[in-house]
């Protein structure tokens, strides 16, 4: 569905609504980190539920974040290691509404630790990726970034896209002019080197 306002000479404002078939689509949970970060572990939790993972952490500083909600925090692993057969440490992290975890700083001792993620947020899924705080030492290259994305041209040739949006085209003989444009500037670490590669 599309709504338009304006006289087509000065401005054209278009509001698009997704077809109900797309809005009702429930995708499998996914919250992947870029391979360059070499995540220690990652997991997701559906809205209103929890998930947990047990892993062994060595001493150091870690970062945890959700790429969907942009919540983030630091995990400090320090002190005497837990001896084999010793008590299991449990860390609980709650995804709150918005870009917030209930705590942006956690700590534990080296050794086995269970991390529990609770999704109390508004999104269908929330995830957590935990990686060593070594991003400044990682030389980002296109091969280390996420899997390649589809180009707009590739999306146009997808059968599902054609089925859902095949009728929504500009009629032959009509043109649209771009009169204003918004430019978003981002400071991505080592982006110049990536652009030149």
């Amino acid at each position: 569905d599309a709504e338009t306002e304006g006289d087509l000479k000065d401005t054209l404002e278009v509001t698009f609504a997704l077809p109900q078939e797309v809005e009702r689509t429930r995708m499998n949970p996914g919250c992947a980190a870029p391979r360059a970060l070499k995540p220690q572990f990652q997991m997701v939790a559906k809205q209103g539920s929890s998930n947990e993972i047990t892993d062994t952490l060595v001493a150091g500083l870690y970062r945890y974040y959700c790429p969907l909600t942009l919540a983030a925090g630091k995990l400090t692993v320090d002190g005497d290691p837990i001896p084999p057969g010793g008590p299991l440490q449990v860390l609980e992290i709650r995804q709150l509404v918005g870009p917030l975890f209930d705590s942006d700083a956690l700590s534990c001792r080296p050794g086995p630790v269970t991390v529990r993620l609770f999704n109390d947020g508004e999104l269908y899924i929330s995830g957590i990726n935990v990686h060593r705080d070594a991003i400044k030492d990682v030389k980002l290259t296109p091969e280390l970034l996420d899997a390649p994305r589809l180009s707009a041209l590739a999306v146009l040739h997808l059968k599902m896209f054609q089925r859902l949006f095949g009728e929504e085209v500009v009629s032959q003989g009509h043109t649209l002019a771009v009169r204003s444009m918004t430019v978003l500037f981002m400071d991505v670490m080592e982006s110049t080197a990536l652009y030149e590669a």
Side-chain angles (χ1 to χ4, degrees), residues 68-81:
L68 299 174
T69 65
L70 305 182
K74 291 183 181 180
L75 168 62
T76 303
V77 180
D78 195 21
D80 295 328

Side-chain angles (χ1 to χ4, degrees), residues 169-186:
V169 296
V170 177
S171 301
Q172 189 174 7
H174 288 84
T175 60
L176 294 176
V178 176
R179 303 240 181 216
S180 65
M181 184 180 297
T182 302
V183 178
L184 172 65
F185 290 96
M186 295 175 49

Side-chain angles (χ1 to χ4, degrees), residues 128-142:
I128 187 169
N129 295 293
V130 177
H131 64 85
R132 295 290 299 253
D133 187 27
I135 191 67
K136 60 186 173 294
D137 301 326
V138 174
K139 175 73 174 152
L140 294 177
T141 63

Side-chain angles (χ1 to χ4, degrees), residues 1-194:
D1 298 334
E3 298 175 17
T4 60
E5 291 181 13
D7 60 9
L8 296 180
K9 284 189 174 183
D10 295 325
T11 62
L12 173 65
E13 184 176 315
V14 180
T15 305
F16 292 97
L18 289 174
Q20 290 297 315
E21 184 177 348
V22 174
E23 288 187 9
R24 285 190 298 253
T25 300
R26 289 293 192 178
M27 301 182 70
N28 291 328
C31 198
R35 290 183 309 231
L37 294 179
K38 298 180 181 144
Q40 178 81 22
F41 61 84
Q42 50 197 131
M43 65 177 153
V44 296
K46 292 182 179 180
Q47 187 178 34
S49 69
S50 65
N51 197 357
E52 68 179 46
I53 192 167
T54 300
D55 201 355
T56 300
L57 299 177
V58 298
L61 181 63
Y62 296 77
R63 292 191 182 268
Y64 57 93
Y65 68 96
C66 175
L68 299 174
T69 65
L70 305 182
K74 291 183 181 180
L75 168 62
T76 303
V77 180
D78 195 21
D80 295 328
I82 299 289
L88 182 65
Q89 305 171 96
V90 177
L91 298 176
E92 293 188 348
I93 301 172
R94 290 190 175 275
Q95 173 66 60
L96 304 176
V97 173
L100 299 170
F101 287 128
D102 64 335
S103 177
D104 61 1
L106 296 171
S107 63
C108 68
R109 292 168 49 193
V113 61
T114 295
V115 178
R116 290 190 185 125
L117 172 65
F118 297 87
N119 183 359
D120 297 335
E122 73 271 19
L123 292 183
Y124 174 63
I125 62 169
S126 173
I128 187 169
N129 295 293
V130 177
H131 64 85
R132 295 290 299 253
D133 187 27
I135 191 67
K136 60 186 173 294
D137 301 326
V138 174
K139 175 73 174 152
L140 294 177
T141 63
E143 295 79 29
L144 288 176
L145 297 175
D146 287 339
R149 302 289 191 251
L150 290 174
S151 67
L153 183 60
V155 170
L156 287 173
H157 288 87
L158 289 174
K159 294 288 185 207
M160 182 178 185
F161 182 86
Q162 292 173 359
R163 185 172 54 80
L164 293 173
F165 302 104
E167 306 268 332
E168 299 178 24
V169 296
V170 177
S171 301
Q172 189 174 7
H174 288 84
T175 60
L176 294 176
V178 176
R179 303 240 181 216
S180 65
M181 184 180 297
T182 302
V183 178
L184 172 65
F185 290 96
M186 295 175 49
D187 183 16
V188 178
M189 187 167 56
E190 303 213 21
S191 60
T192 303
L194 285 173

